[in-house]
Amino acid sequence: MQRMINVLIVNLSLLLLAQCVYAEEDLEQTIVQQQKLADEAQAQKAAGEPAVIAARTKAKELAASLAALRVEQNKAEASVKDGEGKLPKLQEAVKKATEERAKAEAEAAAAAKAALEAKGKDTEAAEAEKSKVAAEKLVAATKALDEALKAVLPIEEGLATARKLIAEQPARTKAAEEALAAFQPELQAAESTYAALSKEAVSRLIDLEKNLVKTGRLVSFAQQVAPIFSQRCLACHNARTAKGRLNMENFANLMKGGENGPSVVAGKPGDSLLQIMIEDHSMPKDADPLLPEQIAIVKKWIETGARLDAGIAPTSTLITIMPKLVQPMPPESYRVSVPVMAIAFSPDGNLLATSGYREVLLWNPADGQLVRRIKNLAERPHDFEFSSDGSTLAVAAGTPGQMGEVKLFNVADGSLVADLFTTDDEVFSVAFSPDGTRLAAACADRSVRLFDVATRQQQKLIEDHADWVLDVAWSPDGKRIATASRDKTSKVFDSTTGESQATFNGHAQPVYGVGFLPDGASVATSGRDNRIRVWTAADAKQAREIAQGGEVFRITMQGDGTALSGSADKLARQHNLTTGAQVKQFGPHEDWVYSASYHAPSKRVASGSHDGQVRIWNYDDSTEVLKFIAAPGLSTPVAAK
């Protein structure tokens, strides 16, 4: 019996071995075939490239020809305007010179006649002298007329030429426009054909690279190397610091190297300064060395050609190409409180959202009991907003100096709906457009990003600020957005084109919060200067300012033209932004008030402060209804007596 079992085990082992061998052979054959297909696709792409280059060149020439005609038209119009401005004066000079010459000619003729008719020696001499002087004046007048004619002639000829061009140019311009338009289908066809060839080449290469990585013959930069560099190297080697002038934010900059030359020599880890420094532990400087397995991955990546994965742009930042990792879990029970940077009622008033550590906490505002924890977030959730129906929560969060993100969550169960985007620094604010179809995000990388909520696609990237963008808001009609920035300005942009329309610099200090008034014509901003300032969106002219006892953080606009604000003087306030008058005051808290929210149907105001405390107030009389620490496990809610 035992012998039969042993034989069975041996046979099974042989079968498994054979399967492994066959699998390896099959994979090898697959790689060979994929390499062939990739080479063929690349060859087809190369063969199709001259056609698209020729089409682009012709389109460029047609566009240049049209532009040249328009430039000629503009120059001719300018020439006519200039000539018509100068001509009257010159014509007046010709008229005057003509009159002077006629007068001189008449005087010369009269003097000559008098000289001929003169009798007597003395009289003849005198008249002869007069005739000579008159003749000289005639010569001078003739010369002056010639000069006047010479001055006016080029202007008249230039005007004639320019007017002729202006008359004829529209036909030429129209022909050039028609030629360019007629060529567009051919250009688009060439571009489409080449795009298809490029897509096929990339697709084939991606398939090949997956199996090369699987067999250990290639290392994926995006999947294996980028996470190492992002976590261990980027803090010292980014665009802002770039120690040794080595910027490792993306593949292109990494391969450029730093002040000591190339950091990576493809195929030669022994000659690659980056590899040498991570192996001798001189990099990362003043930090724990890379793990042996991390060093081995980087070395093998260099050995196998230091390639960038197919289909990835060399300028893509590391954080956007590396695998999206599930964020660390928040503590089950908090040991200390965390600042309440954001607070908001759900549209129906049944939930109150507060920012936590790596999570957003949903509370019952009636009794302060925790309802749900929305996790899988970066270290600091800075802002969030409910969709109009309350089903979705958009969250802006970040881990300082490392990454930022915007995610959409299902409010009912806390599940992740969409990981909208990741960037290499924090995201501070997020806002749904009035119709809920678009989403705006304000980022530490100085950008504002606009997304289509349905497709999750980025529509616009606006990079017009010089420092962190701390808040963003939509105009009531959704046609504009306003921003608040650490660069001490607030700006208004067209939400379709991204073009800047106005810049307000009245705070002269970092601007923390922004919002449009209900009429869409005015904007309110808050800042470090202890002020809320109201200004016109059209020309950025200040209409009024509202002083408070400390820095004014984010403001929450209301539909009636008022706004809630939190301040470093430990109070939350409501102001009428049209008059500047204070309407309500809530507090004081025991620490800075960062955020406040109002739910009109329930007549409840909630405010959150730096010490982690949340207080809920009755709107009508500003009395406290409930207070609790927004940190699970740290304290129990206390109802007002």
Side-chain angles (χ1 to χ4, degrees), residues 77-143:
E77 290 173 352
S79 177
V80 168
K81 183 178 180 181
D82 182 63
E84 288 178 342
K86 294 177 178 178
L87 192 59
K89 186 176 180 180
L90 294 173
Q91 288 175 330
E92 182 63 29
V94 169
K95 180 182 178 182
K96 185 176 180 180
T98 301
E99 291 172 349
E100 289 293 330
R101 186 187 182 285
K103 180 180 178 182
E105 187 176 26
E107 289 176 352
K113 182 180 179 182
L116 290 173
E117 294 175 350
K119 294 179 179 180
K121 187 175 180 180
D122 292 340
T123 303
E124 288 177 359
E127 292 300 330
E129 182 62 27
K130 289 180 180 179
S131 179
K132 180 182 177 183
V133 171
E136 289 174 350
K137 287 178 66 176
L138 176 59
V139 170
T142 301
K143 184 178 179 182

Side-chain angles (χ1 to χ4, degrees), residues 24 27-28 31 208-220 224 296-297 299-305 307:
E24 289 178 2
L27 183 56
E28 188 61 37
I31 290 174
L208 172 63
E209 287 180 353
K210 286 179 181 178
N211 282 328
L212 289 175
V213 170
K214 189 182 295 185
T215 59
R217 281 178 274 183
L218 191 67
V219 172
S220 166
Q224 297 168 272
I297 287 172
K299 183 177 182 179
K300 191 165 186 179
W301 171 67
I302 297 173
E303 284 177 341
T304 56
R307 289 164 54 173

Side-chain angles (χ1 to χ4, degrees), residues 582-605:
Q582 180 173 299
V583 179
K584 298 282 183 179
Q585 178 175 298
F586 306 93
H589 273 255
E590 295 172 10
D591 211 331
W592 292 3
V593 178
Y594 285 130
S595 52
S597 179
Y598 174 47
H599 185 251
S602 63
K603 296 202 170 184
R604 290 291 184 264
V605 173

